[in-house]
């Protein structure tokens, strides 16, 4: 993957440094301007670049940068701003009784049931143009081309029933050992059906901070052992709110002429996530709460953060489309090659 284009002084310093040998990081102040970290283009891109060193890395970048102390120190400053913003933006519901691990699945169900985010999936099912659907897919590619990878960081950090539950979910995400059934692979096929370049990271320059923030939050939770509860809660919310929207996405793509291969990613999630939501809420989060009661607040925080970020993302797309604008940071930046 190529390094992306910078979006401010901090990302410019980091991206410039990553083209050199590790050990020298002349970075501008990471404090950044006062404002919302979720929509801070410089902050979110810098975090995304730092995190990607733990995934597939960048062409021409020395792999020793992954654990460079100076880069990790900078990342920590940005992570603290981002995490503080997430915690300030969500309300963690109490369980019943407030500290009872047994109440976690019920609290997760109540949290997801109360979610009233913008109706993005309804719009995509009924009204979206093919260009708008392609934009949606481009946004989602930032996560879906590495789907499940951030949550897999949680496997060695769990034990017993919670570990087994996470492995069960992840096995399905990775196609049960069949490369062609990996959800990452299936999403790439959806991209190609819309004429999009399915290369890993290809769409990053085109998408705004609010899109990167949704992906960065999972990496934040996954790469810090102290946030393993938030990682589990995030996955639970993700699975518990996935099945019906994916049904709509598949129907929307069929409405626009998508064939079975194009919609396979969404159709797969309709059935898989209906099962995963039970495993995630009860076997993963319920078991984790029972074994480590102190993680209950973070489990619910992770779920609430997932819902909040998804709502912010959906609101951005719908607001732009309502005024006839592209939802992309750089309109027309996608390489779209549809058959005549």
């Amino acid at each position: 993957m190529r390094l992306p284009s910078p979006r401010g002084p901090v990302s410019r310093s980091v991206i410039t440094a990553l083209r050199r040998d590790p050990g020298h990081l002349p970075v501008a102040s990471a404090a950044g301007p006062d404002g919302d970290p979720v929509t801070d283009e410089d902050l979110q891109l810098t975090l995304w670049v730092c995190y990607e060193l733990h995934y597939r890395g960048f062409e021409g970048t020395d792999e020793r940068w992954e654990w460079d102390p100076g880069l990790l120190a900078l990342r920590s400053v940005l992570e603290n701003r981002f995490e503080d913003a997430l915690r300030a933006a969500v309300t963690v519901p109490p369980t019943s009784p407030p500290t009872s691990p047994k109440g976690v699945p019920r609290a997760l169900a109540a949290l997801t049931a109360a979610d009233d985010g913008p109706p993005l999936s309804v719009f995509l099912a009924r009204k979206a143009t093919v260009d708008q659907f392609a934009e949606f897919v481009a946004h989602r590619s930032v996560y879906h081309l590495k789907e499940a990878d951030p949550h897999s960081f949680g496997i060695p950090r769990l034990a017993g029933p919670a570990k087994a539950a996470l492995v069960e979910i992840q096995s399905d995400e990775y196609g049960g050992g069949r490369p062609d059934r990996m959800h990452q692979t299936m999403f790439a096929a959806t991209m190609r059906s819309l004429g999009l370049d399915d290369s890993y990271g290809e769409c990053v320059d085109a998408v705004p901070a609010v899109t990167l923030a949704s992906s960065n939050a999972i990496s934040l939770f996954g790469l810090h052992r102290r946030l393993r509860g938030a990682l589990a809660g995030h996955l639970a919310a993700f699975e518990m709110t996935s099945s019906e929207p994916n049904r709509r996405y598949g129907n929307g793509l069929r409405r626009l002429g998508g064939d079975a291969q194009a919609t396979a990613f969404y159709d797969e999630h309709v059935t898989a996530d209906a099962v995963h939501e039970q495993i995630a809420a009860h076997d993963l989060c319920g078991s984790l709460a029972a074994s480590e009661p102190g993680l209950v607040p973070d489990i619910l925080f992770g779920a609430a953060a997932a819902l909040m970020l998804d709502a912010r993302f959906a609101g951005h797309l719908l607001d732009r489309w309502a005024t006839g604008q592209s939802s992309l940071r750089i309109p027309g930046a996608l390489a779209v090659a549809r058959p005549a």
Side-chain angles (χ1 to χ4, degrees):
M1 176 172 53
R2 299 186 306 272
L3 282 161
S5 299
R7 302 185 189 181
V10 182
S11 58
R12 183 174 295 109
S13 295
V14 168
I15 289 168
T16 299
L18 291 179
R19 295 191 173 100
R20 302 169 179 164
D21 291 335
H24 301 283
L25 189 65
V27 177
S29 171
D34 292 333
D36 183 2
V38 172
T39 56
D40 185 324
E41 298 288 348
D42 197 26
L43 183 150
Q44 291 298 337
L45 181 66
T46 305
L47 273 182
W48 183 84
V49 168
C50 290
Y51 288 148
E52 284 302 316
L53 294 170
H54 296 290
Y55 295 102
R56 305 189 195 182
F58 298 99
E59 183 179 308
T61 295
D62 191 315
E63 294 186 349
R64 291 175 296 174
W65 273 111
E66 180 181 5
W67 298 108
D68 180 79
L71 188 60
L72 292 176
L74 168 68
R75 193 185 91 186
S76 179
V77 173
L78 301 178
E79 285 179 323
N80 288 338
R81 284 190 61 207
F82 187 33
E83 183 182 346
D84 288 346
L86 293 178
R87 291 189 181 278
V90 301
T91 300
V92 175
T95 55
S96 180
T99 57
S100 170
K102 292 182 179 179
V104 166
R106 185 167 55 251
L108 288 169
L111 192 65
T112 55
D115 179 43
D116 59 354
L120 178 60
S121 65
V122 174
F123 179 87
L124 288 164
R126 300 176 181 175
K127 299 180 180 180
T129 65
V130 67
D131 288 330
Q132 289 169 336
F133 207 105
E135 286 190 7
F136 166 72
V137 169
H139 284 283
R140 288 301 201 196
S141 72
V142 174
Y143 170 69
H144 283 314
L145 288 179
K146 65 169 180 274
E147 182 169 344
D149 291 348
H151 292 112
S152 291
F153 282 119
I155 294 173
R157 293 168 176 169
L158 304 179
K163 180 194 283 282
L166 181 53
V167 169
E168 183 177 359
I169 293 171
Q170 298 302 83
S171 178
D172 286 345
E173 299 288 344
Y174 294 124
R178 292 178 53 190
D180 62 308
R181 299 301 299 174
M182 289 176 61
H183 291 181
Q184 300 170 9
T185 303
M186 296 171 75
F187 189 80
T190 298
M191 294 186 72
R192 292 192 299 273
S193 77
L194 289 162
L196 297 171
D197 187 336
D198 67 344
S199 301
Y200 186 87
E202 181 66 24
C203 297
V204 166
D205 277 332
V207 303
V210 71
T211 301
L212 298 179
S214 291
S215 178
N216 285 341
I218 320 176
S219 294
L220 170 66
F221 298 157
L223 289 168
H224 291 272
R225 184 179 180 277
R226 67 179 178 84
L227 293 172
R228 62 194 179 280
L231 183 70
H234 183 286
L235 180 57
F238 195 85
E239 301 290 354
M240 295 171 76
T241 57
S242 176
S243 186
E244 185 55 35
N246 275 289
R247 186 188 305 278
R248 295 182 185 130
Y249 299 148
N251 288 341
L253 194 47
R254 273 184 285 273
R255 174 179 60 82
L256 295 168
D259 60 16
Q261 186 175 24
T263 65
F265 174 85
Y266 299 119
D267 297 338
E268 168 76 9
H269 282 73
V270 172
T271 54
D273 290 353
V275 176
H276 289 172
E277 67 174 280
Q278 298 300 317
I279 300 172
H282 294 272
D283 301 336
L284 172 58
C285 291
S287 294
L288 182 59
S291 64
E292 298 188 75
L295 295 182
V296 168
D298 264 2
I299 292 172
L300 299 180
F301 159 64
L307 297 172
M308 181 275 292
L309 288 169
D310 197 53
R312 293 283 299 271
F313 166 75
H316 168 79
L317 268 64
L318 292 174
D319 288 348
R320 288 299 185 92
W321 291 341
T323 57
Q325 301 177 74
S326 168
S327 66
L328 299 174
R329 176 174 165 269
I330 306 174
L334 300 180
V336 178
R338 297 195 189 98

